[in-house]
Amino acid sequence: MMTEVSMLIDVAKCIGCRGCQVACKQWNQRPAEKTKFTGTYQNPPRLSANTWTLIQFIEPEDYDENPRWLFRKQQCHHCVDAPCEQVCPTGAIKKLENGIVYINQSICTGCKYCVEVCPFDIPQFDRASGTVRKCWMCLDRVKNGLEPACATTCPTGAVSFGSRTGMLAVARERQNILEKQGFSTRIYGKDELGGQHVMYLLPEKASIYGLPEAPRKPTEKIFWRWLLGVIPGMAILVAIFAYLFKQRSASDTAASDAKSGGE
Amino acid sequence: MEHYNWGIPVALDLFAAGLGAAVFMVAVVADLAGGRKYRRISTTGALIAPWPAILGVLLLVIDLGKPGRFWEMILKRSHETLGVESLMFKIGSTMSTGTWLLTIFILGSLLYLVITLLAYPFKWAETLKKVLGVVGLPFALLVTVYTGILISATSNLLWNNWLLPLVFVSSAIVTGIAAVAFILAVLQVFKPESKIGSDVPRLEIMNSRLIVFQLLIVILFIIVGIGSAQMKAVIGSAFGLLWWIGIIGLGLVVPLLVGFKGGAKSPQISMLISVLVLLGGFFLRYAILIGGQMHI
Ligand code: SF4
């Protein structure tokens, strides 16, 4: 039995060096992308099939009153209640015992359902391979007792990796320190979507970091939605039946006189 | 050109699968309500029902990143050995449920087609046809609902609207009736002396009442979703023209008016009206599917 692993991203410690981005590409052998300068250091502009982690550079809306430059490492959260895994029709997405959510590239058919379902917009379709790809928490490294490439690289300790309980303890400790300095903090991923195996220690509101404040499983109310389609649908069929039944005895000509003329 | 995750093939599938299933339902209900009296409707419906769904499934397969692996949705493989373990079915995955619903529907509607033809020479097939029709009804209805659930149970801001399944269900039925009316009207044009199109005005009148309902649902759908930028774009931007003129105006309001006037005056006009309804139905799926994926 593998222990449940987790990654903790202490965003306050991130200096935006993007070493993790490079390490990820290197270890997972993802090619670089040609990009254009768009006025921000965020590069590439978004996650892709070849970019599994990305430092988001944020200048918050209230930048003028309170100037600050924020960085958040985007990647798969490895949810406990992973919506992507729930909707995968082939079973290519699997939640491992250690908490890692990974996509088996030899099973994925590239239906792209997980792409539309993930609340964090993480999985990306790879047109070259025809499959969907995303961060797999360097499963090959983790299996061999190593940390994911990004965590190994991070020079400031903003990305750390270990057992879930251990990471939670570190997060709480850091939370105390930050709270004393006057930040109101949140451990994002502690309980969200059943808990996530990538947790963010946020010193500001989640939405400022581009995270949904209360992420929801899109499949949550699916049963009611089926009912909401089925019941009115049945009512329509009954109405059609009633109409046709009533009209049954009306002569053919009554309704069609105008149209075909000489019946 | 922007590359959409789910593009025109998926829009066509959502439209075609719903259309085929609705045509089947119309055929069965007409058969139950009037038997021989509505034979023209039920036979036409039975003859066309499987094909749009088959086309839809083919399009879905082609749209996969790896079309050759479509069977992964049917057979479950082990992650360790990659050997086949069992059938693949996941109730929480609408893609999986939909795969099975479509498979069952296509097989069932093909059987229904055969039995409908058998019912002409053989009396016993008549009863069998009714039984199979009743058994098939829930599956057909679920196919029409599936098309809406598939995209509504996602994180997409436009699609994740609790009215979307109903929008698709009622649109499917409206287009299904129009499809039957279209075929009957075409046959009438080719055989002017026959009575083959005599049910068409009745179908048009019936459809106009359903279109009133459809319009209400579409308006509610807009109201429920108006908070999202995507919805504003779909009804406001360049898409808005397609939405208001194509889908609502030509696809719903015009057929509604014709229906309330007692049906079209000639089979040629009936053909045109049916085509408007069908195009409106397709563009409804298209606008919602693509609109939801626009980066705003
Ligand atoms: S963050 Fe998205 S891709 Fe990662 S496990 Fe959760 S739902 Fe799946």
Side-chain angles (χ1 to χ4, degrees), chain B residues 134-274:
Chain B
V134 172
V135 173
L137 267 186
F139 289 98
L141 182 56
L142 287 173
V143 167
T144 63
V145 184
Y146 134 81
T147 61
I149 305 282
L150 180 75
I151 68 168
S152 109
T154 61
S155 291
N156 187 296
L157 295 173
L158 179 70
W159 306 343
N160 196 333
N161 180 317
W162 54 272
L163 271 164
L164 186 86
L166 189 49
V167 171
F168 281 10
V169 170
S170 62
S171 166
I173 296 176
V174 167
T175 54
I177 294 171
V180 175
F182 176 77
I183 302 286
L184 291 176
V186 170
L187 293 174
Q188 180 71 61
V189 169
F190 279 105
K191 285 196 192 153
E193 67 295 336
S194 74
K195 296 201 298 180
I196 192 124
S198 58
D199 285 325
V200 172
R202 187 169 291 141
L203 290 173
E204 284 169 347
I205 293 168
M206 179 169 86
N207 223 5
S208 62
R209 310 313 196 258
L210 294 177
I211 290 173
V212 174
F213 177 73
Q214 167 74 354
L215 275 171
L216 280 175
I217 296 296
V218 168
I219 289 165
L220 266 177
F221 168 76
I222 295 175
I223 294 173
V224 168
I226 198 67
S228 78
Q230 272 82 0
M231 179 66 91
K232 288 188 190 108
V234 165
I235 62 171
S237 67
F239 253 115
L241 280 180
L242 179 67
W243 186 264
W244 294 109
I245 297 180
I247 299 168
I248 307 244
L250 295 173
L252 294 174
V253 175
V254 170
L256 180 149
L257 295 175
V258 170
F260 272 89
K261 283 221 147 37
K265 293 282 170 282
S266 77
Q268 282 82 358
I269 298 180
S270 291
M271 279 166 60
L272 181 72
I273 297 296
S274 309

Side-chain angles (χ1 to χ4, degrees), chain A residues 46 83-96 102-121 123-132 216-263, chain B residues 3-6 25-26 29-30 32-34 37-38 40-41 63-67 69-73 75-80 82 88 90-97 99 101 137 141-142 145-146 149-156 159-163 165-166 169-170 173 177 185 188 192-195 197-206 210 213 262 264-267 270 293 295:
Chain A
R46 45 177 286 147
C84 60
E85 186 268 343
Q86 278 157 7
V87 304
C88 178
T90 62
I93 304 188
K94 194 170 177 181
K95 288 190 290 185
L96 304 179
Y102 100 110
I103 305 181
N104 190 324
Q105 292 297 317
S106 37
I107 299 181
C108 175
T109 50
C111 77
K112 299 164 253 181
Y113 203 18
C114 54
V115 178
E116 295 301 337
V117 164
C118 172
F120 308 97
D121 206 7
Q124 305 285 334
F125 181 61
D126 184 351
R127 275 199 269 173
S129 70
T131 54
V132 174
R216 285 176 159 269
K217 253 196 329 196
T219 48
E220 206 171 54
K221 300 198 188 88
I222 196 166
F223 175 73
W224 298 107
R225 292 204 177 173
W226 276 101
L227 269 192
L228 244 148
V230 167
I231 291 175
M234 274 166 34
I236 296 176
L237 292 183
V238 170
I240 294 177
F241 177 84
Y243 178 81
L244 289 178
F245 191 76
K246 223 174 61 204
Q247 289 276 308
R248 179 188 46 142
S249 44
S251 74
D252 258 358
T253 42
S256 60
D257 252 355
K259 120 167 282 152
S260 44
E263 291 248 353
Chain B
H3 181 79
Y4 297 107
N5 212 17
W6 282 349
M25 296 193 287
V26 172
V29 170
L32 294 178
K37 176 74 196 352
Y38 290 130
R40 287 179 293 245
I41 297 178
D63 197 53
L64 291 176
K66 289 218 170 280
R69 284 190 189 168
F70 74 93
W71 55 270
E72 301 271 7
M73 301 206 182
L75 297 172
K76 182 178 174 162
R77 285 208 285 166
S78 136
H79 274 246
E80 284 72 37
L82 292 181
M88 185 70 217
K90 264 166 132 174
I91 191 93
S93 166
T94 312
M95 186 79 78
S96 178
T97 345
T99 305
L101 283 173
L137 267 186
L141 182 56
L142 287 173
V145 184
Y146 134 81
I149 305 282
L150 180 75
I151 68 168
S152 109
T154 61
S155 291
N156 187 296
W159 306 343
N160 196 333
N161 180 317
W162 54 272
L163 271 164
L166 189 49
V169 170
S170 62
I173 296 176
I177 294 171
Q188 180 71 61
E193 67 295 336
S194 74
K195 296 201 298 180
S198 58
D199 285 325
V200 172
R202 187 169 291 141
L203 290 173
E204 284 169 347
I205 293 168
M206 179 169 86
L210 294 177
F213 177 73
K265 293 282 170 282
S266 77
S270 291
Q293 294 174 79
H295 289 292

Side-chain angles (χ1 to χ4, degrees), chain A residues 1-253:
Chain A
M1 169 88 195
M2 292 186 261
T3 48
E4 211 177 328
V5 294
S6 275
M7 181 177 278
L8 176 66
I9 301 176
D10 192 341
V11 298
K13 281 188 176 173
C14 177
I15 53 172
C17 75
R18 300 188 300 197
C20 51
Q21 276 182 237
V22 178
C24 175
K25 288 232 180 212
Q26 226 162 22
W27 180 260
N28 294 302
Q29 303 184 344
R30 306 319 305 161
E33 284 171 58
K34 252 210 157 72
T35 54
K36 285 204 188 87
F37 182 63
T38 54
T40 159
Y41 285 117
Q42 183 170 320
N43 186 42
R46 45 177 286 147
L47 292 176
S48 74
N50 291 321
T51 302
W52 296 349
T53 190
L54 173 71
I55 299 295
Q56 191 185 346
F57 287 71
I58 306 155
E59 287 172 31
E61 271 173 36
D62 60 344
Y63 186 87
D64 289 341
E65 301 97 73
N66 180 10
R68 62 213 188 282
W69 205 17
L70 307 175
F71 317 119
R72 179 174 72 89
K73 181 182 190 289
Q74 291 184 350
Q75 65 170 94
C76 172
H77 298 216
H78 298 275
C79 314
V80 171
D81 256 351
C84 60
E85 186 268 343
Q86 278 157 7
V87 304
C88 178
T90 62
I93 304 188
K94 194 170 177 181
K95 288 190 290 185
L96 304 179
E97 271 178 67
N98 62 4
I100 294 177
V101 178
Y102 100 110
I103 305 181
N104 190 324
Q105 292 297 317
S106 37
I107 299 181
C108 175
T109 50
C111 77
K112 299 164 253 181
Y113 203 18
C114 54
V115 178
E116 295 301 337
V117 164
C118 172
F120 308 97
D121 206 7
I122 301 297
Q124 305 285 334
F125 181 61
D126 184 351
R127 275 199 269 173
S129 70
T131 54
V132 174
R133 298 181 187 273
K134 68 167 190 69
C135 156
W136 65 327
M137 199 95 106
C138 294
L139 179 62
D140 48 352
R141 294 173 62 95
V142 172
K143 266 193 193 151
N144 288 291
L146 294 170
E147 297 188 340
C150 56
T152 313
T153 302
C154 181
T156 65
V159 183
S160 42
F161 181 82
S163 71
R164 185 167 168 83
T165 37
M167 286 299 109
L168 268 171
V170 176
R172 293 220 177 81
E173 229 169 85
R174 278 282 297 156
Q175 201 171 18
N176 283 337
I177 298 173
L178 286 172
E179 297 271 352
K180 278 203 193 96
Q181 294 174 2
F183 293 98
S184 54
T185 61
R186 166 172 180 185
I187 305 176
Y188 192 97
K190 186 163 72 67
D191 306 307
E192 284 74 6
L193 296 178
Q196 297 172 322
H197 294 96
V198 170
M199 294 179 285
Y200 289 91
L201 179 58
L202 301 177
E204 299 219 20
K205 286 229 303 268
S207 54
I208 293 186
Y209 286 97
L211 289 165
E213 288 289 348
R216 285 176 159 269
K217 253 196 329 196
T219 48
E220 206 171 54
K221 300 198 188 88
I222 196 166
F223 175 73
W224 298 107
R225 292 204 177 173
W226 276 101
L227 269 192
L228 244 148
V230 167
I231 291 175
M234 274 166 34
I236 296 176
L237 292 183
V238 170
I240 294 177
F241 177 84
Y243 178 81
L244 289 178
F245 191 76
K246 223 174 61 204
Q247 289 276 308
R248 179 188 46 142
S249 44
S251 74
D252 258 358
T253 42

